[in-house]
Amino acid sequence: MIYSIFSVPINEKSISGYCALTKKLINVPDMYNIPSNLPSSFNSSFDMITGYKTVSSLTTPLVSSDKRLLGVIQVLNAKDKSGRIIPFSADDEIIFTHFANTASSALERAHFTRAMILRMIKMSELRDPKETGAHVNRVAGYAVDIYDRWAYHHKVPPVEKEKFRDILRVGSMFHDIGKIAISDTILKKPARFTPEEYQIMQTHAAYGASLFTDTTFPGDILSKDIALTHHENWDGTGYPGWVDPATGKIEKADADCKPLGKKGEEIPLGGRIVAIADVFDALCSRRVYKEPWGENEVLEEMKKLSGSKFDPELMEYFFEVLPNIKQTQNQFPDSPDN
Ligand SMILES: [Fe+2]
Ligand SMILES: [Fe+2]
């Protein structure tokens, strides 16, 4: 409860608020005895709830290269070698300022990357009216819900789990990014596709994956896997099968020289998870050729497809986390004009 998110206004009333306001480092030797040259007071309610006794504090702003305030960080209770709480020293101020500068650059880079990702998603939304922000957010949310359960059953260590769920969220948002390569007449067709159109539509998987083939970042590799394999089926009947998205070369062919479908665990975990999340969301949503299905109908269909279209183990976890999935669904409703 005490670690939940709460707001501190940017004003002189608190040390962190005053630090944000002035963008200056503040070193307070004793928070219960704030020097009179500072206008702030100490809110001791957190100490009261936690039993932690705040004494010394060092607070510094996180500022971007163009001097915008990104945040504030604060460390509490410096200790000497014997463990006694002491005020923060002038040396601590230098080290802490250096740390804050590094943290500010990292934050700035993260904001920039996030903005670029959202722009790419917005671009695909401009091309494909079905690929809305709400849809990609829901698919990413469901994917993380399902993965959390998988990680729990597979006893994945917390740090590894956190890392994977972060890149899974972004990779899931990119699942249909390859649709930007599909022509408007097909993408925006207000009816079902002909078999020829459907074949062209299927190329979006390899097109999407081809955007992520030139790097070795784990996030890019996962995004490539998801874009490439989110239409593969557990029983090997999906698409695009064994093709190299960078070159378009067939890696494994059937008797007709067509790519063999990937099956079972040949399909990467991210692709198997997003396949479930994407189909579930499509069934629950309105499409030009169909109304949204009712909940029971959707769940019946999902159950039916377990073991043929979907990984049956992951489907068990899907049903285990259904309450979370419904929560995610409510969190990102479609806008009324969809
Ligand atoms: Fe797709
Ligand atoms: Fe989708």
Side-chain angles (χ1 to χ4, degrees), residues 176 204 230-231:
D176 272 340
H204 80 275
H230 71 282
H231 289 289

Side-chain angles (χ1 to χ4, degrees), residues 58-71:
L58 190 57
T59 313
T60 197
L62 299 173
V63 183
S64 68
S65 46
D66 59 349
K67 305 280 177 274
R68 278 174 304 114
L69 180 78
L70 302 173

Side-chain angles (χ1 to χ4, degrees), residues 4 29 36 46 117 237 241 245 248 254 263 270 281 288-289 296 323:
S4 59
S36 55
F46 288 107
I117 289 169
T237 59
D254 61 12
K263 59 174 189 300
D281 200 62
V288 278
Y289 52 84
N296 289 344

